[in-house]
Amino acid sequence: MRYTPPEFETLSQMSAIDVGRLTEEQARKILEDIRWPGGVECPHCKGRDVVRINGKAEKVRDGLFRCKGCRKQFTVTVGTVMEHTHITLRQWLQAFHSMCSHKKGVSSLQLQRNLGLRSYRSAWHLTHRIRAAMREDPFAGLLKGTVEVDETYIGGRPPKDGKKHKRGRGTKKAPVLAMVERGGKVVTRPVENVTARTLKAAIREAVDRESRIITDEYVSYSGIGKEFKGGHEIVNHGLDEYVRGDVFTNTAESFFSLLKRGVHGTFHHISKKHLEKYCNEFSFRWDNRKVTDGERAQAAVGSMGGKRLKLKDLLGWDKAKVN
Ligand SMILES: [Zn+2]
């Protein structure tokens, strides 16, 4: 019997194998449909009066459009994380799908092998651009309802030198704060330190004032209840108390356990300067945890617009952030 490949209209319906079978032309069609669901729009002037330039008479780039308004040319990658890419669009879709399907993330090295990319550097740039696409819109809205707040420490395991090493608070590892809305989204990021001032400022920025805050007994959180209508409840881990009715921080801890398994198992070592980007990646998958891998990939591709990330900016930005 002859094998007929199934036909798919959208990325959201596809498995990793389906994405791997796409032709470059199909990949471009899928991207165009995601980027411009209401018809092609010029990324330069937002005009809708555009024409597709067919390369029959003249040799032109694939997928080229011309805007009749501003007269500029563009393709589906212009103004997105994919702009000026040297990687094929089908490889981009495979990379998106892969990073959206693996709960603990995919290393650049793994992706380099899976996609047959020539250099590690281009795989590394690719994964960071996908992380940039996954970055939550800063105006996405505040966390509401019951919000669990917790911190953890990321950054390498203590050396195996037989000596006792401090764990958690008070070590040189990077503190990461997570605020998780029960049944909803997570907001997470590295913080400078775990003082009351820093932690409370981060909570004020991310959480709606009507909410109820739940934390452990850590002293930096004390008094935060005065600022939130739902108050502040504390579960006392020091006294071996983990759950009291619906007072617990287990959701935040599940998020951290995923992040840590990713950091240790997949990425092995994440430098402090890139930690925030990995936090974005893990929160994106968390926020979109109730959908299929294909739907998650479609959501990530759908948010790639307006988020260019040049390699030199990636490196330069990091230098600025470290020092
Ligand atoms: Zn235009």
Short mmCIF file of all heavy atoms in Angstrom, two decimals, residues 40-96:
data_model
loop_
_atom_site.label_atom_id
_atom_site.label_comp_id
_atom_site.label_asym_id
_atom_site.label_seq_id
_atom_site.Cartn_x
_atom_site.Cartn_y
_atom_site.Cartn_z
N VAL A 40 -1.77 39.22 4.67
CA VAL A 40 -0.40 39.73 4.76
C VAL A 40 -0.38 41.23 5.11
O VAL A 40 -1.15 42.00 4.55
CB VAL A 40 0.34 39.50 3.43
CG1 VAL A 40 1.79 39.98 3.54
CG2 VAL A 40 0.30 38.02 3.07
N GLU A 41 0.48 41.58 6.07
CA GLU A 41 0.60 42.97 6.49
C GLU A 41 2.06 43.39 6.39
O GLU A 41 2.95 42.66 6.82
CB GLU A 41 0.12 43.07 7.95
CG GLU A 41 0.05 44.48 8.49
CD GLU A 41 -0.20 44.49 10.00
OE1 GLU A 41 -1.38 44.47 10.40
OE2 GLU A 41 0.79 44.49 10.76
N CYS A 42 2.29 44.59 5.83
CA CYS A 42 3.66 45.08 5.68
C CYS A 42 4.26 45.36 7.06
O CYS A 42 3.70 46.12 7.84
CB CYS A 42 3.67 46.35 4.84
SG CYS A 42 5.25 47.20 4.86
N PRO A 43 5.43 44.74 7.38
CA PRO A 43 6.03 44.97 8.70
C PRO A 43 6.63 46.37 8.85
O PRO A 43 6.91 46.80 9.95
CB PRO A 43 7.13 43.90 8.80
CG PRO A 43 7.43 43.51 7.40
CD PRO A 43 6.20 43.77 6.59
N HIS A 44 6.80 47.06 7.71
CA HIS A 44 7.38 48.40 7.78
C HIS A 44 6.33 49.46 8.10
O HIS A 44 6.53 50.32 8.94
CB HIS A 44 8.07 48.75 6.46
CG HIS A 44 9.09 47.73 6.04
ND1 HIS A 44 10.27 47.55 6.71
CD2 HIS A 44 9.08 46.81 5.03
CE1 HIS A 44 10.95 46.57 6.12
NE2 HIS A 44 10.25 46.10 5.11
N CYS A 45 5.18 49.40 7.39
CA CYS A 45 4.18 50.48 7.56
C CYS A 45 2.81 49.96 7.98
O CYS A 45 1.86 50.73 8.09
CB CYS A 45 4.06 51.29 6.27
SG CYS A 45 3.21 50.39 4.96
N LYS A 46 2.70 48.64 8.21
CA LYS A 46 1.43 48.01 8.60
C LYS A 46 0.38 48.04 7.50
O LYS A 46 -0.80 47.79 7.74
CB LYS A 46 0.82 48.64 9.88
CG LYS A 46 1.79 48.73 11.05
CD LYS A 46 1.78 47.43 11.84
CE LYS A 46 2.86 47.45 12.91
NZ LYS A 46 3.53 46.15 13.07
N GLY A 47 0.80 48.43 6.29
CA GLY A 47 -0.14 48.49 5.16
C GLY A 47 -0.59 47.10 4.73
O GLY A 47 0.11 46.11 4.93
N ARG A 48 -1.80 47.04 4.18
CA ARG A 48 -2.34 45.74 3.74
C ARG A 48 -2.31 45.59 2.22
O ARG A 48 -2.61 44.53 1.70
CB ARG A 48 -3.79 45.60 4.22
CG ARG A 48 -3.95 45.43 5.72
CD ARG A 48 -3.26 44.16 6.18
NE ARG A 48 -3.42 43.95 7.62
CZ ARG A 48 -4.29 43.10 8.15
NH1 ARG A 48 -5.07 42.39 7.38
NH2 ARG A 48 -4.37 42.97 9.45
N ASP A 49 -1.94 46.66 1.52
CA ASP A 49 -1.93 46.61 0.07
C ASP A 49 -0.57 46.09 -0.41
O ASP A 49 0.34 46.86 -0.69
CB ASP A 49 -2.21 48.01 -0.49
CG ASP A 49 -2.60 47.95 -1.95
OD1 ASP A 49 -2.75 46.82 -2.49
OD2 ASP A 49 -2.75 49.02 -2.57
N VAL A 50 -0.44 44.77 -0.42
CA VAL A 50 0.85 44.17 -0.75
C VAL A 50 0.72 43.17 -1.89
O VAL A 50 -0.36 42.61 -2.09
CB VAL A 50 1.44 43.44 0.49
CG1 VAL A 50 1.67 44.41 1.63
CG2 VAL A 50 0.55 42.31 0.92
N VAL A 51 1.80 42.97 -2.61
CA VAL A 51 1.78 41.96 -3.67
C VAL A 51 2.90 40.97 -3.48
O VAL A 51 4.00 41.32 -3.05
CB VAL A 51 1.92 42.57 -5.09
CG1 VAL A 51 0.61 43.19 -5.54
CG2 VAL A 51 3.04 43.58 -5.15
N ARG A 52 2.62 39.72 -3.80
CA ARG A 52 3.66 38.70 -3.75
C ARG A 52 4.46 38.79 -5.04
O ARG A 52 3.90 38.90 -6.13
CB ARG A 52 3.02 37.32 -3.63
CG ARG A 52 4.01 36.23 -3.26
CD ARG A 52 3.33 34.88 -3.28
NE ARG A 52 2.57 34.60 -2.06
CZ ARG A 52 3.13 34.11 -0.94
NH1 ARG A 52 4.43 33.89 -0.87
NH2 ARG A 52 2.38 33.85 0.11
N ILE A 53 5.78 38.82 -4.92
CA ILE A 53 6.62 38.90 -6.10
C ILE A 53 7.02 37.49 -6.51
O ILE A 53 7.66 36.77 -5.76
CB ILE A 53 7.90 39.72 -5.81
CG1 ILE A 53 7.52 41.11 -5.29
CG2 ILE A 53 8.76 39.83 -7.05
CD1 ILE A 53 8.70 41.89 -4.76
N ASN A 54 6.59 37.09 -7.69
CA ASN A 54 6.94 35.75 -8.15
C ASN A 54 8.28 35.80 -8.87
O ASN A 54 8.52 36.68 -9.68
CB ASN A 54 5.86 35.20 -9.08
CG ASN A 54 4.63 34.83 -8.28
OD1 ASN A 54 4.73 34.18 -7.24
ND2 ASN A 54 3.47 35.27 -8.75
N GLY A 55 9.10 34.87 -8.54
CA GLY A 55 10.47 34.91 -9.07
C GLY A 55 10.63 34.33 -10.46
O GLY A 55 11.71 33.86 -10.78
N LYS A 56 9.57 34.33 -11.26
CA LYS A 56 9.70 33.70 -12.58
C LYS A 56 10.51 34.57 -13.54
O LYS A 56 11.44 34.10 -14.18
CB LYS A 56 8.33 33.39 -13.16
CG LYS A 56 7.78 32.09 -12.58
CD LYS A 56 6.34 31.85 -12.97
CE LYS A 56 5.76 30.72 -12.11
NZ LYS A 56 4.30 30.76 -12.07
N ALA A 57 10.13 35.83 -13.62
CA ALA A 57 10.81 36.72 -14.56
C ALA A 57 12.19 37.13 -14.03
O ALA A 57 13.17 37.12 -14.75
CB ALA A 57 9.96 37.97 -14.81
N GLU A 58 12.23 37.47 -12.78
CA GLU A 58 13.49 37.92 -12.19
C GLU A 58 13.86 36.98 -11.05
O GLU A 58 13.02 36.34 -10.46
CB GLU A 58 13.31 39.35 -11.65
CG GLU A 58 11.93 39.52 -11.04
CD GLU A 58 11.64 40.90 -10.49
OE1 GLU A 58 12.57 41.63 -10.18
OE2 GLU A 58 10.45 41.21 -10.35
N LYS A 59 15.13 36.94 -10.75
CA LYS A 59 15.60 36.07 -9.66
C LYS A 59 15.41 36.82 -8.34
O LYS A 59 16.09 37.80 -8.07
CB LYS A 59 17.08 35.74 -9.92
CG LYS A 59 17.70 34.86 -8.87
CD LYS A 59 17.42 33.38 -9.12
CE LYS A 59 18.00 32.52 -7.99
NZ LYS A 59 17.06 31.52 -7.51
N VAL A 60 14.46 36.38 -7.59
CA VAL A 60 14.22 37.05 -6.30
C VAL A 60 14.22 36.02 -5.18
O VAL A 60 14.08 34.83 -5.41
CB VAL A 60 12.88 37.83 -6.27
CG1 VAL A 60 12.91 39.00 -7.23
CG2 VAL A 60 11.72 36.91 -6.55
N ARG A 61 14.34 36.54 -3.98
CA ARG A 61 14.29 35.67 -2.81
C ARG A 61 12.93 35.00 -2.71
O ARG A 61 11.90 35.58 -3.08
CB ARG A 61 14.47 36.52 -1.54
CG ARG A 61 15.90 36.77 -1.16
CD ARG A 61 15.95 37.48 0.17
NE ARG A 61 15.41 38.84 0.10
CZ ARG A 61 14.94 39.51 1.14
NH1 ARG A 61 14.90 38.95 2.32
NH2 ARG A 61 14.49 40.75 1.01
N ASP A 62 12.88 33.81 -2.14
CA ASP A 62 11.60 33.12 -1.93
C ASP A 62 10.75 33.89 -0.93
O ASP A 62 11.27 34.45 0.02
CB ASP A 62 11.85 31.72 -1.37
CG ASP A 62 12.44 30.78 -2.40
OD1 ASP A 62 12.22 31.03 -3.61
OD2 ASP A 62 13.13 29.83 -2.01
N GLY A 63 9.46 33.87 -1.18
CA GLY A 63 8.53 34.44 -0.21
C GLY A 63 8.58 35.96 -0.12
O GLY A 63 8.21 36.53 0.91
N LEU A 64 9.02 36.60 -1.19
CA LEU A 64 9.16 38.06 -1.14
C LEU A 64 7.85 38.77 -1.46
O LEU A 64 7.11 38.37 -2.36
CB LEU A 64 10.24 38.49 -2.14
CG LEU A 64 10.85 39.87 -1.95
CD1 LEU A 64 11.59 39.97 -0.62
CD2 LEU A 64 11.81 40.18 -3.10
N PHE A 65 7.55 39.81 -0.70
CA PHE A 65 6.38 40.65 -0.96
C PHE A 65 6.85 42.08 -1.21
O PHE A 65 7.92 42.48 -0.75
CB PHE A 65 5.45 40.69 0.26
CG PHE A 65 4.78 39.39 0.57
CD1 PHE A 65 5.36 38.48 1.45
CD2 PHE A 65 3.54 39.08 0.01
CE1 PHE A 65 4.74 37.28 1.76
CE2 PHE A 65 2.91 37.87 0.32
CZ PHE A 65 3.52 36.98 1.19
N ARG A 66 6.02 42.86 -1.91
CA ARG A 66 6.29 44.28 -2.02
C ARG A 66 5.07 45.03 -1.52
O ARG A 66 3.93 44.68 -1.84
CB ARG A 66 6.61 44.68 -3.46
CG ARG A 66 6.95 46.18 -3.57
CD ARG A 66 7.21 46.64 -4.99
NE ARG A 66 8.47 46.13 -5.51
CZ ARG A 66 8.60 45.40 -6.62
NH1 ARG A 66 7.51 45.08 -7.32
NH2 ARG A 66 9.76 44.99 -7.04
N CYS A 67 5.33 46.07 -0.71
CA CYS A 67 4.24 46.87 -0.18
C CYS A 67 3.97 48.02 -1.13
O CYS A 67 4.88 48.74 -1.52
CB CYS A 67 4.64 47.40 1.20
SG CYS A 67 3.45 48.57 1.87
N LYS A 68 2.70 48.18 -1.51
CA LYS A 68 2.36 49.26 -2.44
C LYS A 68 2.32 50.60 -1.71
O LYS A 68 2.44 51.65 -2.33
CB LYS A 68 1.01 48.99 -3.09
CG LYS A 68 1.08 47.89 -4.14
CD LYS A 68 -0.24 47.79 -4.89
CE LYS A 68 -0.17 46.75 -5.98
NZ LYS A 68 -1.51 46.52 -6.58
N GLY A 69 2.14 50.55 -0.40
CA GLY A 69 2.11 51.78 0.38
C GLY A 69 3.50 52.40 0.51
O GLY A 69 3.75 53.49 0.01
N CYS A 70 4.42 51.67 1.15
CA CYS A 70 5.75 52.25 1.41
C CYS A 70 6.78 51.79 0.39
O CYS A 70 7.93 52.18 0.46
CB CYS A 70 6.19 51.93 2.83
SG CYS A 70 6.58 50.19 3.11
N ARG A 71 6.39 50.92 -0.52
CA ARG A 71 7.23 50.44 -1.62
C ARG A 71 8.39 49.56 -1.16
O ARG A 71 9.28 49.23 -1.94
CB ARG A 71 7.76 51.60 -2.48
CG ARG A 71 6.67 52.59 -2.88
CD ARG A 71 7.15 53.65 -3.84
NE ARG A 71 6.21 53.77 -4.97
CZ ARG A 71 6.36 53.16 -6.13
NH1 ARG A 71 7.38 52.39 -6.36
NH2 ARG A 71 5.46 53.34 -7.08
N LYS A 72 8.40 49.21 0.10
CA LYS A 72 9.48 48.36 0.59
C LYS A 72 9.16 46.89 0.37
O LYS A 72 7.99 46.52 0.23
CB LYS A 72 9.74 48.61 2.08
CG LYS A 72 10.43 49.93 2.33
CD LYS A 72 10.69 50.10 3.81
CE LYS A 72 11.33 51.46 4.07
NZ LYS A 72 11.05 51.95 5.41
N GLN A 73 10.21 46.08 0.37
CA GLN A 73 10.04 44.65 0.22
C GLN A 73 10.21 43.95 1.56
O GLN A 73 10.87 44.47 2.45
CB GLN A 73 11.09 44.10 -0.76
CG GLN A 73 10.91 44.66 -2.17
CD GLN A 73 11.88 44.03 -3.15
OE1 GLN A 73 12.89 43.46 -2.75
NE2 GLN A 73 11.57 44.14 -4.43
N PHE A 74 9.61 42.79 1.69
CA PHE A 74 9.77 42.03 2.94
C PHE A 74 9.40 40.57 2.72
O PHE A 74 8.77 40.21 1.73
CB PHE A 74 8.89 42.63 4.04
CG PHE A 74 7.41 42.64 3.71
CD1 PHE A 74 6.60 41.57 4.07
CD2 PHE A 74 6.84 43.70 3.04
CE1 PHE A 74 5.24 41.56 3.75
CE2 PHE A 74 5.48 43.71 2.71
CZ PHE A 74 4.69 42.63 3.07
N THR A 75 9.83 39.73 3.65
CA THR A 75 9.38 38.33 3.70
C THR A 75 8.81 38.11 5.10
O THR A 75 8.83 39.00 5.94
CB THR A 75 10.56 37.34 3.51
OG1 THR A 75 11.41 37.44 4.64
CG2 THR A 75 11.33 37.63 2.24
N VAL A 76 8.36 36.90 5.35
CA VAL A 76 7.70 36.59 6.63
C VAL A 76 8.65 36.73 7.83
O VAL A 76 8.22 36.90 8.95
CB VAL A 76 7.07 35.18 6.58
CG1 VAL A 76 8.15 34.09 6.56
CG2 VAL A 76 6.11 34.94 7.72
N THR A 77 9.96 36.68 7.57
CA THR A 77 10.89 36.73 8.71
C THR A 77 11.26 38.15 9.13
O THR A 77 11.80 38.35 10.22
CB THR A 77 12.21 35.99 8.37
OG1 THR A 77 12.84 36.66 7.29
CG2 THR A 77 11.97 34.55 8.02
N VAL A 78 10.94 39.13 8.28
CA VAL A 78 11.34 40.52 8.59
C VAL A 78 10.66 41.01 9.87
O VAL A 78 9.45 40.86 10.05
CB VAL A 78 11.00 41.45 7.40
CG1 VAL A 78 11.18 42.92 7.80
CG2 VAL A 78 11.90 41.13 6.22
N GLY A 79 11.47 41.58 10.77
CA GLY A 79 10.93 42.10 12.02
C GLY A 79 10.62 41.03 13.05
O GLY A 79 9.92 41.28 14.02
N THR A 80 11.15 39.82 12.84
CA THR A 80 10.94 38.75 13.83
C THR A 80 12.29 38.23 14.30
O THR A 80 13.32 38.64 13.77
CB THR A 80 10.18 37.54 13.23
OG1 THR A 80 11.09 36.81 12.39
CG2 THR A 80 8.98 37.98 12.42
N VAL A 81 12.27 37.31 15.23
CA VAL A 81 13.52 36.70 15.70
C VAL A 81 14.25 35.96 14.57
O VAL A 81 15.42 35.66 14.69
CB VAL A 81 13.31 35.71 16.88
CG1 VAL A 81 12.78 36.45 18.10
CG2 VAL A 81 12.39 34.56 16.51
N MET A 82 13.53 35.68 13.47
CA MET A 82 14.15 34.94 12.37
C MET A 82 14.83 35.83 11.33
O MET A 82 15.41 35.32 10.37
CB MET A 82 13.10 34.12 11.62
CG MET A 82 12.42 33.08 12.44
SD MET A 82 11.29 32.16 11.39
CE MET A 82 10.39 31.28 12.64
N GLU A 83 14.75 37.14 11.51
CA GLU A 83 15.27 38.03 10.46
C GLU A 83 16.74 37.75 10.17
O GLU A 83 17.53 37.51 11.06
CB GLU A 83 15.07 39.49 10.89
CG GLU A 83 15.40 40.43 9.76
CD GLU A 83 14.79 41.82 9.93
OE1 GLU A 83 14.04 42.05 10.89
OE2 GLU A 83 15.07 42.67 9.07
N HIS A 84 17.09 37.80 8.88
CA HIS A 84 18.46 37.55 8.40
C HIS A 84 18.96 36.16 8.77
O HIS A 84 20.15 35.96 9.01
CB HIS A 84 19.44 38.60 8.94
CG HIS A 84 19.15 39.98 8.44
ND1 HIS A 84 19.01 40.27 7.11
CD2 HIS A 84 18.94 41.13 9.11
CE1 HIS A 84 18.74 41.55 6.97
NE2 HIS A 84 18.68 42.10 8.18
N THR A 85 18.06 35.22 8.83
CA THR A 85 18.48 33.87 9.23
C THR A 85 19.20 33.15 8.10
O THR A 85 18.93 33.38 6.93
CB THR A 85 17.27 33.04 9.68
OG1 THR A 85 17.74 31.79 10.16
CG2 THR A 85 16.29 32.79 8.54
N HIS A 86 20.16 32.31 8.49
CA HIS A 86 20.82 31.46 7.50
C HIS A 86 20.34 30.03 7.62
O HIS A 86 20.82 29.13 6.96
CB HIS A 86 22.34 31.49 7.71
CG HIS A 86 22.91 32.86 7.55
ND1 HIS A 86 22.88 33.54 6.34
CD2 HIS A 86 23.48 33.70 8.43
CE1 HIS A 86 23.43 34.73 6.50
NE2 HIS A 86 23.79 34.86 7.77
N ILE A 87 19.40 29.84 8.52
CA ILE A 87 18.87 28.51 8.77
C ILE A 87 17.56 28.39 7.99
O ILE A 87 16.83 29.37 7.88
CB ILE A 87 18.64 28.35 10.29
CG1 ILE A 87 19.98 28.44 11.02
CG2 ILE A 87 17.93 27.06 10.62
CD1 ILE A 87 19.85 28.62 12.51
N THR A 88 17.26 27.21 7.48
CA THR A 88 16.03 27.09 6.70
C THR A 88 14.81 27.23 7.62
O THR A 88 14.89 27.00 8.82
CB THR A 88 15.94 25.71 6.00
OG1 THR A 88 15.89 24.70 7.01
CG2 THR A 88 17.14 25.48 5.09
N LEU A 89 13.68 27.59 7.01
CA LEU A 89 12.47 27.80 7.80
C LEU A 89 11.97 26.49 8.40
O LEU A 89 11.40 26.47 9.48
CB LEU A 89 11.38 28.45 6.95
CG LEU A 89 11.77 29.82 6.38
CD1 LEU A 89 10.60 30.39 5.58
CD2 LEU A 89 12.20 30.80 7.47
N ARG A 90 12.20 25.38 7.69
CA ARG A 90 11.76 24.10 8.27
C ARG A 90 12.60 23.73 9.48
O ARG A 90 12.11 23.15 10.43
CB ARG A 90 11.73 22.97 7.23
CG ARG A 90 12.96 22.83 6.38
CD ARG A 90 12.71 21.82 5.27
NE ARG A 90 12.46 20.50 5.86
CZ ARG A 90 13.42 19.65 6.20
NH1 ARG A 90 14.69 19.96 5.98
NH2 ARG A 90 13.12 18.47 6.70
N GLN A 91 13.87 24.13 9.46
CA GLN A 91 14.70 23.90 10.66
C GLN A 91 14.23 24.78 11.82
O GLN A 91 14.22 24.36 12.96
CB GLN A 91 16.18 24.18 10.35
CG GLN A 91 16.83 23.07 9.54
CD GLN A 91 18.21 23.45 9.04
OE1 GLN A 91 18.42 24.55 8.56
NE2 GLN A 91 19.16 22.54 9.15
N TRP A 92 13.84 25.99 11.50
CA TRP A 92 13.29 26.88 12.53
C TRP A 92 12.06 26.25 13.17
O TRP A 92 11.91 26.23 14.38
CB TRP A 92 12.90 28.23 11.93
CG TRP A 92 13.97 29.25 11.98
CD1 TRP A 92 14.82 29.60 10.97
CD2 TRP A 92 14.35 30.06 13.11
NE1 TRP A 92 15.69 30.58 11.40
CE2 TRP A 92 15.42 30.88 12.69
CE3 TRP A 92 13.89 30.17 14.42
CZ2 TRP A 92 16.03 31.79 13.55
CZ3 TRP A 92 14.49 31.08 15.27
CH2 TRP A 92 15.55 31.88 14.83
N LEU A 93 11.16 25.74 12.32
CA LEU A 93 9.94 25.15 12.87
C LEU A 93 10.25 23.92 13.71
O LEU A 93 9.64 23.69 14.75
CB LEU A 93 8.95 24.80 11.75
CG LEU A 93 8.22 25.99 11.12
CD1 LEU A 93 7.24 25.50 10.06
CD2 LEU A 93 7.48 26.81 12.18
N GLN A 94 11.22 23.13 13.25
CA GLN A 94 11.62 21.96 14.04
C GLN A 94 12.18 22.38 15.39
O GLN A 94 11.88 21.76 16.41
CB GLN A 94 12.69 21.16 13.29
CG GLN A 94 12.15 20.35 12.13
CD GLN A 94 13.28 19.58 11.45
OE1 GLN A 94 13.89 18.70 12.03
NE2 GLN A 94 13.56 19.91 10.21
N ALA A 95 13.00 23.44 15.37
CA ALA A 95 13.59 23.92 16.62
C ALA A 95 12.51 24.44 17.57
O ALA A 95 12.51 24.13 18.76
CB ALA A 95 14.61 25.01 16.32
N PHE A 96 11.58 25.20 17.04
CA PHE A 96 10.46 25.70 17.87
C PHE A 96 9.69 24.52 18.47
O PHE A 96 9.38 24.50 19.65
CB PHE A 96 9.50 26.55 17.02
CG PHE A 96 9.74 28.03 17.10
CD1 PHE A 96 10.36 28.71 16.07
CD2 PHE A 96 9.33 28.77 18.22
CE1 PHE A 96 10.58 30.09 16.15
CE2 PHE A 96 9.54 30.14 18.30
CZ PHE A 96 10.16 30.80 17.26
#
